[in-house]
Amino acid sequence: MEKGFKMRNSNDYVLRLLVIINGWAIKTMTGGDYHILRVLRNWSKEHHISLIMPKLGYTSTTSMLSSRCSIYFTSGEEKIDGSATIIISYLTRIMRSLFLRFDQRPDVIIASSHLLYDVFPAIFLRRRLKSKLVVYVHHILRSFRTQRHGIWSRISLLNERISLSLCKTADLIFVVNSDVRDALIDTGFRADKIFMTGNGVEHQLIDSVKVSTKRFDACFCGRLVKSKGVYDLLEVWERVLKDFPKLRLLIIGDGQEYNHLLETVKNKALDKNIILTGFLSEKLKIFAMKSCKIFISASYEEGWGIPVSEAMACELAVVCYDLSVYKVFGDAILKVEVGNKEAMAKAVISLLADENSRKIMALDAKEASKPLSWEQVSMTELKEINKM
């Protein structure tokens, strides 16, 4: 836990914050989930926090939650399988959120994402409890999903369109990159309600994890969904194996594509070269990443790129698609044209073949990650909330 977080003096008001995090469908959390839990850990030192969340999210994140937080569960399942089941679960969570009773009236209600399962209950409860409303918009779904992923993507995009129209009534909106801020303004959001924040890195945890040997050559960490380019990863690694047949790629995380991805790896007889870990705790995740030489991300959409920043802090050279949100990392990471799997494979081969260049890039990445502080992010966001 970071030390030195202090926002309130003896004359300041203790805020009562009610936070809605209804989106869990798997144990692996989104970047938005990670962000809100990380800042809540700091806020709970000075303020009263209540959380609305499913049991699945709680069991995945107990190590990140303060014992001082009050928890209100909206569902009890430990795992959800299938898109139809997910939708039913989300609807159940929304309905249960509406009728919860709280020990104290919250000063501020926070929707941890701009999606309907968080925003609709937040707006309803804001009116019922006469509280202020804060919404996080981490990234806006890209239209290419509609063409590439069928009916469920169309449902997601419709969900987002409705929820974004509701978000316009919020008192404060946090975004983590300028692309989202500009997109919101273009669709009619008031610029004076939008505040651009960022993300941090768990430096203390990462530096505490020691690894003696690099057992794997590369890794990816994140949710295993199509928009993260998980199948591009397989094609990239197949190209790498033509030059270096014994190299091993570690894929860390869980998601809707886990079972199909695992089956594809086996069908391609790549199970000795590509290892899927499934969900890992934070400390094991960092240990696994530090056991690799480079980090690869073939993701097509990101709100900011927390796994990339963590890989940088783990002193790994990073190769990724050139997404606009990655400009925050400057030249500390190696970017290739989006969707160009051949270029990504060549970049990976070059780094793995040149140990000196790889180590220089890894050191530069580590240095570039140092200013990223969750303590600073927490203080900045809380200051904006206090202004309300």
Side-chain angles (χ1 to χ4, degrees), residues 5 140 146 217 307 381 385:
F5 181 80
I140 297 174
T146 306
D217 300 284
E381 290 182 4
I385 291 172

Side-chain angles (χ1 to χ4, degrees), residues 44-313:
S44 64
K45 299 172 187 176
E46 300 288 342
H47 302 282
H48 183 268
I49 309 293
S50 297
L51 282 170
I52 296 175
M53 66 191 311
K55 190 75 173 291
L56 177 58
Y58 178 75
T59 55
S60 301
T61 59
T62 50
S63 64
M64 294 185 67
L65 292 172
S66 168
S67 59
R68 299 173 62 188
C69 294
S70 302
I71 310 293
Y72 299 86
F73 291 123
T74 52
S75 67
E77 71 272 306
E78 296 291 337
K79 187 178 181 181
I80 305 176
D81 293 315
S83 299
T85 307
I86 290 174
I87 291 174
I88 293 169
S89 180
Y90 285 161
L91 290 173
T92 301
R93 294 173 190 181
I94 289 172
M95 293 306 297
R96 287 181 177 172
S97 299
L98 305 183
F99 300 104
L100 290 170
R101 292 292 181 265
F102 308 101
D103 296 334
Q104 295 179 309
R105 184 188 69 82
D107 302 299
V108 181
I109 296 172
I110 300 175
S112 63
S113 80
H114 68 292
L115 298 176
L116 214 53
Y117 44 66
D118 290 328
V119 168
F120 187 83
I123 289 177
F124 182 91
L125 292 172
R126 186 263 294 266
R127 290 175 179 171
R128 191 184 101 194
L129 302 171
K130 297 180 174 55
S131 307
K132 295 290 186 179
L133 175 61
V134 177
V135 176
Y136 283 86
V137 184
H138 292 279
H139 78 288
I140 297 174
L141 301 178
R142 296 186 183 276
S143 60
F144 82 86
R145 278 196 181 188
T146 306
Q147 295 131 15
R148 294 184 61 171
H149 302 295
I151 188 169
W152 296 116
S153 252
R154 295 178 186 275
I155 291 172
S156 296
L157 291 168
L158 177 61
N159 166 6
E160 182 180 67
R161 193 174 304 150
I162 295 169
S163 58
L164 280 175
S165 67
L166 295 174
C167 288
K168 290 180 180 179
T169 67
D171 299 288
L172 175 64
I173 295 173
F174 286 129
V175 300
V176 294
N177 67 68
S178 57
D179 291 348
V180 171
R181 179 193 61 197
D182 295 344
L184 292 180
I185 293 171
D186 288 344
T187 54
F189 281 74
R190 284 175 47 183
D192 62 332
K193 287 188 175 184
I194 301 172
F195 182 84
M196 194 163 79
T197 175
N199 285 300
V201 171
E202 290 266 23
H203 292 290
Q204 188 173 338
L205 170 64
I206 289 173
D207 292 341
S208 72
V209 176
K210 307 299 180 184
V211 174
S212 57
T213 58
K214 300 284 188 180
R215 297 178 55 222
F216 303 95
D217 300 284
C219 67
F220 164 80
C221 180
R223 288 182 300 123
L224 303 188
V225 294
K226 290 180 179 178
S227 63
K228 299 298 182 183
V230 291
Y231 293 102
D232 283 27
L233 275 179
L234 301 192
E235 292 186 45
V236 167
W237 203 246
E238 283 183 291
R239 286 169 166 82
V240 171
L241 292 175
K242 290 178 181 178
D243 285 25
F244 300 98
K246 294 184 179 181
L247 297 190
R248 296 197 297 172
L249 169 68
L250 200 62
I251 298 179
I252 305 164
D254 193 9
Q256 296 169 6
E257 297 300 318
Y258 178 87
N259 290 333
H260 187 259
L261 196 64
L262 184 60
E263 184 181 350
T264 305
V265 167
K266 289 179 179 178
N267 290 340
K268 288 176 173 285
L270 294 172
D271 43 310
K272 290 185 179 179
N273 300 102
I274 301 177
I275 297 92
L276 279 70
T277 70
F279 171 78
L280 295 179
S281 67
E282 284 300 297
K283 195 165 186 177
L284 281 176
K285 178 188 77 175
I286 298 303
F287 183 86
M289 290 172 70
K290 283 193 166 187
S291 299
C292 302
K293 296 175 183 176
I294 67 172
F295 182 90
I296 310 173
S297 175
S299 180
Y300 283 85
E301 60 175 49
E302 293 288 345
W304 195 83
I306 290 177
V308 169
S309 66
E310 289 178 335
M312 294 166 64

